[in-house]
Amino acid sequence: MTEENTPENEQNEQQQAKIQAVRGMKDILPADHEYFTVVKKAVRHRCRQAGFRRISTPILENREVFERGIGDATDIVEKEMFCLESRSGKKLVMKPESTASIMRSYIENGMSSWSQPVKLYYIEPHFRYDRPQKGRYRQFWQFGFEVIGARDYSIDVQVILLSVKILEDLGIADRFELQINTIGTPEVRKAYEEALQNHFFGRERNLCEDCKRRLEKNPLRILDCKNEDCQILASVAPKFDDFLDQDSKDYYEKVKEFLDELGIKYNENKKLVRGLDYYSDTVFEFWDKNEGAQNAIGGGGRYDGLAEILGGQPTPSAGVAFGMERVISHLKEAGVQPPDKDKIHVYVACLGDLAKKKAVKILADLNDRGVHALGAMGKTSMKAQLRMADKFNVDWTIILGEVEVRENIFILRNMERGAQETFPLDDIVDKIVERVGEDNLDIYNIGE
RNA sequence: GCGACUGUAGCUCAGUUGGUUAGAGCGCCGGAUUGUGGCUCCGGAGGUCGUGGGUUCGAACCCCAUCAGUCGCCCCA
């Protein structure tokens, strides 16, 4: 006997190694989807009301879209992108966010010829090669909306308002604090960045490693660094307010004025600098009141310069994005219960093959009329089938045995009371619809 | 990318100073007189002790590596 043929090895061959999900990737199970559905509906509802139309961009983009759009010194581009290469050697990336993709699409599809501004919303998966943690996955969903092709503080405010409305609809608005700031126009920012660089040049040794790197490409973010030495140096750096031009100041004042008018509370945060380069003027984030900047659930702002960076005409725009998983974890913490749309109304229990044949037809007829019905799922005994009916928490169980089939009748059992009635089999669909109630039927018509 | 902690059935966890066939609760499947759920009782299935090496007469337990998760940093949704 050779070693390969021992019983032990045969067993090993049969038992395949378990395969697990890729790091940072999570299954969305039915129970999770109930929450996703709630969020998606809230988003769609509010976006449609405000005249937004849905867009989806491909998961794969050319790497340039984000290197140029987000900025190649940002953490997202430097170390958080899922990069891959096409067979012909093209540098591709799984989109880490949607704004740059949507702007690419806007330019490519000639949306500048649509009525301006173009209002778009999205609910899409995104990918970041980051270290997984709670509320931080390598594949995660974001919803967001963009108003492309107009510069008007009322737009910035409406974007914020829409965000607040969705959070209110979901019942979690009071868990967050809106942080706002202005980072000026691209021109002002550039001048300020140069002044900052001049300030920090020669004092690099006092900066942390990250900031030394930032100094070259994105000095603005040194101000946001949490390192103590960096903060000390930053505190004596040129003040942004001295560089901010009157137009941006007025713009920012108007944003605040309009927010006040709408009764939207906010916290002015001079240190708020978003991690994506394309922002200008208004920036904002929604922070967890308990955790602060940690795991912000959403953020956005104005990005007037993005279109040009991506090779389009000057196209001032503003938008916002939210993390679905983070929103959902707040829904769960807040005890928000999603409605049970998967509720089963009727279970069909059958005995014998003839009854089973009838049951399959009855199930199809009930489904057609909008009744959520289950049955004929491999259980044979009446006990097992009723137990299953109970597991699904149905209101009614149809009992169809050999006797009933022969006599062309069926038994209808009220599961809560345990009472049973007998009816002619021919009336079964109407009878069930009557008991379930027209209002509870699940009917979908295209075009309605 | 850095640091710390964790990893035993589908889930939540026991598992004594390393010592024979690894346990519980819940869940799942089935039974408790002939075709009837929930409660109760009884029974059953299900575990390469994350994975791979090493130390040892002997490892779920000790060591190393690796994978995954959680927390913190960084950053963001």
Side-chain angles (χ1 to χ4, degrees), chain A residues 193-245:
Chain A
E193 281 176 357
E194 278 169 14
L196 273 183
Q197 282 173 327
N198 288 334
H199 171 75
F200 288 113
F201 278 152
R203 311 182 198 190
E204 290 98 328
R205 61 194 165 78
N206 293 319
L207 292 173
C208 70
E209 288 307 310
D210 283 335
C211 284
K212 278 176 191 162
R213 206 162 28 78
R214 287 169 182 154
L215 182 54
E216 279 301 324
K217 290 185 169 179
N218 198 357
L220 208 59
R221 283 180 55 210
I222 298 175
L223 302 179
D224 203 32
C225 184
K226 281 160 191 114
N227 180 289
E228 233 177 274
D229 293 333
C230 298
Q231 279 191 358
I232 291 167
L233 263 187
S235 66
V236 293
K239 294 289 177 237
F240 184 62
D241 284 351
D242 299 333
F243 287 77
L244 202 58
D245 64 285

Side-chain angles (χ1 to χ4, degrees), chain A residues 347-360 362-363 374-383 385-386 397-402 404-405:
Chain A
Y347 187 92
V348 181
C350 53
L351 289 173
D353 206 53
L354 200 57
K356 193 189 283 182
K357 200 182 288 179
K358 290 258 185 216
V360 171
I362 289 165
L363 283 165
L374 272 181
M377 295 197 290
K379 307 280 183 205
T380 49
S381 78
M382 186 51 62
K383 182 196 280 275
Q385 292 188 75
L386 272 170
T397 296
I398 290 167
I399 295 169
L400 205 57
E402 280 148 353
E404 287 76 20
V405 172

Side-chain angles (χ1 to χ4, degrees), chain A residues 130-366:
Chain A
D130 202 357
R131 182 120 175 208
Q133 255 175 66
K134 199 170 199 168
R136 211 164 104 174
Y137 308 109
R138 288 186 171 184
Q139 175 175 342
F140 60 99
W141 287 74
Q142 279 187 346
F143 67 81
F145 25 97
E146 317 283 355
V147 182
I148 306 173
R151 176 179 167 82
D152 189 325
Y153 36 80
S154 65
I155 287 172
D156 305 32
V157 171
Q158 287 181 76
V159 165
I160 292 172
L161 177 64
L162 188 53
S163 305
V164 171
K165 284 292 176 195
I166 289 169
L167 294 179
E168 280 176 357
D169 289 350
L170 291 170
I172 53 173
D174 57 345
R175 301 172 71 87
F176 305 102
E177 188 174 48
L178 173 63
Q179 308 282 319
I180 65 166
N181 190 24
T182 181
I183 58 172
T185 63
E187 295 75 32
V188 163
R189 213 165 138 207
K190 201 180 167 206
Y192 180 59
E193 281 176 357
E194 278 169 14
L196 273 183
Q197 282 173 327
N198 288 334
H199 171 75
F200 288 113
F201 278 152
R203 311 182 198 190
E204 290 98 328
R205 61 194 165 78
N206 293 319
L207 292 173
C208 70
E209 288 307 310
D210 283 335
C211 284
K212 278 176 191 162
R213 206 162 28 78
R214 287 169 182 154
L215 182 54
E216 279 301 324
K217 290 185 169 179
N218 198 357
L220 208 59
R221 283 180 55 210
I222 298 175
L223 302 179
D224 203 32
C225 184
K226 281 160 191 114
N227 180 289
E228 233 177 274
D229 293 333
C230 298
Q231 279 191 358
I232 291 167
L233 263 187
S235 66
V236 293
K239 294 289 177 237
F240 184 62
D241 284 351
D242 299 333
F243 287 77
L244 202 58
D245 64 285
Q246 200 55 44
D247 180 56
S248 282
K249 279 182 183 168
D250 294 343
Y251 193 94
Y252 185 49
E253 288 307 313
K254 281 290 184 186
V255 168
K256 287 189 284 182
E257 189 185 319
F258 274 49
L259 285 173
D260 291 337
E261 178 66 24
L262 289 167
I264 297 174
K265 292 198 175 65
Y266 55 86
N267 176 44
E268 272 191 81
N269 184 343
K270 294 268 181 202
K271 290 200 165 181
L272 185 66
V273 178
R274 306 224 63 218
L276 296 78
D277 282 0
Y278 55 60
Y279 285 107
S280 58
D281 276 316
T282 317
V283 293
F284 59 89
E285 285 182 3
F286 287 89
W287 286 7
D288 185 327
K289 275 181 182 167
N290 299 319
E291 292 185 46
Q294 203 62 35
N295 292 342
I297 57 157
R302 176 150 286 283
Y303 49 96
D304 290 346
L306 178 59
E308 286 166 272
I309 292 168
L310 294 176
Q313 295 298 308
T315 312
S317 311
V320 63
F322 281 86
M324 299 266 279
E325 288 85 353
R326 289 183 182 180
V327 168
I328 287 167
S329 97
H330 277 279
L331 287 176
K332 287 178 179 171
E333 273 178 35
V336 175
Q337 286 293 326
D340 184 10
K341 297 288 186 184
D342 297 334
K343 157 97 180 156
I344 303 296
H345 305 121
V346 181
Y347 187 92
V348 181
C350 53
L351 289 173
D353 206 53
L354 200 57
K356 193 189 283 182
K357 200 182 288 179
K358 290 258 185 216
V360 171
K361 178 77 169 81
I362 289 165
L363 283 165
D365 291 345
L366 288 172

